[in-house]
Amino acid sequence: MAFYAFQGFIITLLVLLLTLHILVKSRRSKSSSFPVDWPILGMLPSLVGNLHNLQEYVTDVLATSSSSLLAHGPLASGMRLFVTCDPENIRHIFTTNHANYPKGEDFGEIFDIMQGSLFTVDGESCRRQRGRMKSILSNPRMISLMSSCSLEKVAKGLVPFLTRMATTRTAFDLQDLIARFAFDFTVMPIFSVDPGLLSSEMPPMDAAEAMDMVMAVGLLRQVMPASCWKLMRWLNTGPEKKLAAGHSTLYRFVMEMMEKRKAKNLDKEQDTVDVVSSYIHDPEFNDDLLRATLILYMVAGRDTIGSSLPWFFYNLAKNSHVVSAIRKELTPVVLSRKHAATTSNDTNTIVVFEPEDLKALVYLQAALLESLRLYPPGPIVRKTVLKDDVMPSGHEVRSGDTVLISPYALGRMESVWGKDWRDYRPERWLSDNGLKLRYVPSHKFLAFNSGPRMCIGKDIAIMQMKIAAAAIVWNFDMEVLGKQTIEPKLSCLLQMKNGLMVTVNKREEIIQV
């Protein structure tokens, strides 16, 4: 056993050294968007050489490969990848033949901190856990709790902070602010405890940063041979060392939240409404599975909104006519004053919108969906092939192959979205009269997954984004600072690599109510 372990170590080390050698040579030559299938190493060097710009690279490759590509890893790894953003392939994988494309056992290893939870399982366990989660998230009391937590964080955290920044004309990182906001209102309904990241003290975001590390290393684990990242984990080096520290931070955070919840004696109250209450007395959920499930709720609830809203405001900053259109749609709501909650902390009235105010606002939702098209929170989705199959595109996949689907590339395909795919145009989501949202099938828009694993919290997430977006757009003018590079971070979560520095002003010509 020791001999084979050492042999695996030597092979992996040689692959890494050979990859590094080829990368050095290839960077001296003219680069090409199409990956080179190197002898022995396959397409791994091309992939590693473009990790700094992975999403755009994959998009370019798929655009020149009729939206699908078979790729090979190093010879010794047996790694075969099928990469696609073809809508017909996506429908086949996610819906028509979804049973043949599970996440697979490797997925649980890649995201081991959530292993055993709904995020990593297939089959009967998936159906059972999904049914439980759907029951929790469809409970009217839970929906009400989540919306009230979002509203509270907007009114008492987000808006006051932006008001201070407007008064002092101080530049700040919008992505950092939204991350704090999303983390707080996600965790509150889980534990009935406010983490307080959006408080005036702006404490360190250790747990949120640990979640970011999980998603960043998760991407690296998906695109490299398992032997490589397992070697780094064994040596406790590189990103694997940081991930281990991140795991410890998240475990500690969950324990602290449970202790704070316990201190409030919530377990003794039979009528408590929070996520923990729905699992804590279930014998199926031992300590490890309960912890993995709670971390899943944190990741799923925070990541969609925390990554999407910064890109949304980035798009608005470049398209002032969209801002005007959203404000025009909000004006009747403000004038009605029927449900608008107002405060008068200064000379200008701040308006915070209730979920019911925003339910019928189709242009605001279209603007959010259009941003999600270009910048989906999960830019890559991984599946495993159970049995040999033929894709609608004609590509043959074999049992054990890895399938990578790119929602990021899907939103940038001219064949799907037309010649104006580069344009941020909310109108593409509206009916001809602009009064209704146009139906777009999920296999053409994967921001919320598709098929039997469609995102259960989709409607809740859209509601929460609307609450924050409406309050900010109505009350403030925002400007993105120049001379900053805006590009995606290398992660399973589509964050901005360098954040988003902005300034805000209180609106001068705001309607007084």
Side-chain angles (χ1 to χ4, degrees):
M1 180 67 72
F3 170 76
Y4 289 113
F6 180 72
Q7 185 182 49
F9 169 80
I10 294 297
I11 291 173
T12 301
L13 185 60
L14 288 174
V15 167
L16 290 173
L17 290 173
L18 188 53
T19 300
L20 180 62
H21 172 70
I22 290 178
L23 285 176
V24 171
K25 290 186 65 177
S26 63
R27 285 191 174 185
R28 294 173 181 171
S29 61
K30 186 176 180 180
S31 62
S32 170
S33 64
F34 201 84
V36 177
D37 193 359
W38 295 92
I40 302 177
L41 293 179
M43 295 183 179
L44 181 63
S46 296
L47 181 63
V48 174
N50 288 279
L51 279 178
H52 65 287
N53 192 33
L54 182 63
Q55 303 307 334
E56 293 297 336
Y57 175 68
V58 171
T59 300
D60 290 344
V61 168
L62 291 176
T64 57
S65 308
S66 300
S67 303
S68 298
L69 174 74
L70 277 169
H72 303 270
L75 184 63
S77 71
M79 184 179 183
R80 274 175 49 99
L81 300 174
F82 177 66
V83 188
T84 187
C85 67
D86 183 327
E88 293 307 312
N89 288 343
I90 291 171
R91 177 158 54 185
H92 181 78
I93 294 165
F94 285 80
T95 304
T96 310
N97 199 20
H98 69 91
N100 195 48
Y101 296 93
K103 293 195 171 186
E105 294 182 3
D106 291 346
F107 195 82
E109 286 191 312
I110 290 170
F111 292 100
D112 45 2
I113 196 168
M114 292 177 278
Q115 194 162 25
S117 73
L118 176 60
F119 184 61
T120 65
V121 296
D122 298 299
E124 181 57 33
S125 181
C126 174
R127 285 187 289 272
R128 189 170 59 252
Q129 290 196 45
R130 184 176 173 85
R132 169 67 69 84
M133 183 177 287
K134 187 174 182 179
S135 174
I136 294 170
L137 296 182
S138 62
N139 184 331
R141 295 179 65 196
M142 178 60 72
I143 295 173
S144 177
L145 174 62
M146 288 183 164
S147 63
S148 64
C149 288
S150 303
L151 193 60
E152 177 184 343
K153 281 297 171 179
V154 169
K156 298 181 180 180
L158 199 59
V159 167
F161 177 88
L162 293 173
T163 301
R164 291 197 301 273
M165 295 300 101
T167 302
T168 59
R169 293 294 296 151
T170 303
F172 64 95
D173 183 355
L174 180 65
Q175 181 168 258
D176 178 85
L177 176 66
I178 296 297
R180 293 173 179 276
F181 165 68
F183 188 87
D184 275 2
F185 76 65
T186 296
V187 170
M188 288 166 68
I190 298 175
F191 300 99
S192 291
V193 177
D194 184 354
L197 292 191
L198 199 55
S199 64
S200 57
E201 292 81 12
M202 291 290 183
M205 295 199 299
D206 295 342
E209 290 171 357
M211 289 164 65
D212 292 341
M213 181 59 63
V214 168
M215 303 310 284
V217 178
L219 179 61
L220 294 176
R221 285 181 169 187
Q222 290 186 70
V223 300
M224 69 170 63
S227 58
C228 292
W229 66 260
K230 287 182 179 181
L231 171 63
M232 287 189 285
R233 184 177 63 180
W234 182 65
L235 294 173
N236 193 30
T237 188
E240 290 294 326
K241 181 177 182 179
K242 295 179 181 179
L243 179 62
H247 282 191
S248 297
T249 298
L250 281 174
Y251 293 154
R252 186 167 57 252
F253 175 81
V254 171
M255 186 180 300
E256 290 172 356
M257 289 295 103
M258 293 294 282
E259 288 297 321
K260 290 180 180 180
R261 183 183 182 279
K262 186 177 180 180
K264 296 172 70 173
N265 293 318
L266 293 176
D267 291 341
K268 298 179 180 179
E269 300 178 16
Q270 299 298 316
D271 204 31
T272 301
V273 179
D274 61 18
V275 171
V276 171
S277 300
S278 301
Y279 291 95
I280 197 168
H281 299 300
D282 190 329
E284 178 185 353
F285 286 81
N286 57 36
D287 290 346
D288 289 342
L289 182 55
L290 176 61
R291 182 178 61 188
T293 299
L294 295 177
I295 292 174
L296 166 60
Y297 272 93
M298 290 165 55
V299 169
R302 181 206 70 144
D303 285 358
T304 298
I305 293 142
S307 63
S308 300
L309 282 180
W311 290 111
F312 171 71
F313 286 109
Y314 172 68
N315 282 316
L316 291 191
K318 299 187 296 180
N319 296 273
S320 59
H321 66 285
V322 177
V323 176
S324 298
I326 293 174
R327 287 173 178 169
K328 182 178 180 181
E329 188 177 48
L330 288 170
T331 297
V333 177
V334 177
L335 290 175
S336 72
R337 298 187 61 187
K338 186 175 181 180
H339 298 292
T342 63
T343 61
S344 301
N345 296 328
D346 52 25
T347 56
N348 285 333
T349 300
I350 293 290
V351 181
V352 178
F353 299 90
E354 303 263 0
E356 287 300 316
D357 297 330
L358 307 172
K359 188 175 292 185
L361 302 190
V362 295
Y363 191 87
L364 174 60
Q365 185 162 333
L368 287 164
L369 294 175
E370 178 70 343
S371 188
L372 287 167
R373 172 182 74 85
L374 291 167
Y375 302 101
I380 191 168
V381 180
R382 186 183 193 273
K383 300 283 187 180
T384 299
V385 181
L386 201 60
K387 298 179 181 179
D388 294 0
D389 196 13
V390 179
M391 292 287 171
S393 61
H395 292 84
E396 297 181 3
V397 292
R398 299 192 296 225
S399 175
D401 285 359
T402 296
V403 177
L404 297 178
I405 304 98
S406 174
Y408 185 91
L410 176 63
R412 287 165 161 72
M413 290 295 110
E414 182 177 328
S415 58
V416 179
W417 298 99
K419 292 183 178 180
D420 66 344
W421 66 263
R422 293 179 182 82
D423 300 336
Y424 175 70
R425 193 170 65 82
E427 290 75 14
R428 76 174 78 242
W429 293 88
L430 299 174
S431 60
D432 292 339
N433 61 12
L435 300 179
K436 295 181 179 179
L437 287 169
R438 189 189 302 273
Y439 171 72
V440 176
S442 58
H443 61 274
K444 293 185 178 181
F445 176 66
L446 267 180
F448 295 100
N449 216 311
S450 181
R453 299 197 78 137
M454 175 74 76
C455 177
I456 299 171
K458 173 185 174 182
D459 292 338
I460 294 174
I462 290 175
M463 174 266 292
Q464 291 171 325
M465 284 192 284
K466 277 186 166 183
I467 290 173
I472 295 175
V473 171
W474 180 262
N475 295 292
F476 300 95
D477 290 315
M478 184 176 295
E479 180 181 352
V480 173
L481 298 186
K483 296 183 180 180
Q484 57 177 321
T485 302
I486 308 298
E487 59 185 8
K489 180 181 178 181
L490 182 63
S491 174
C492 290
L493 178 62
L494 198 70
Q495 296 172 312
M496 296 177 179
K497 182 178 179 181
N498 304 305
L500 183 65
M501 296 301 297
V502 303
T503 57
V504 292
N505 284 319
K506 290 286 296 296
R507 285 182 63 199
E508 295 181 359
E509 298 180 1
I510 195 168
I511 296 176
Q512 300 295 319
V513 295

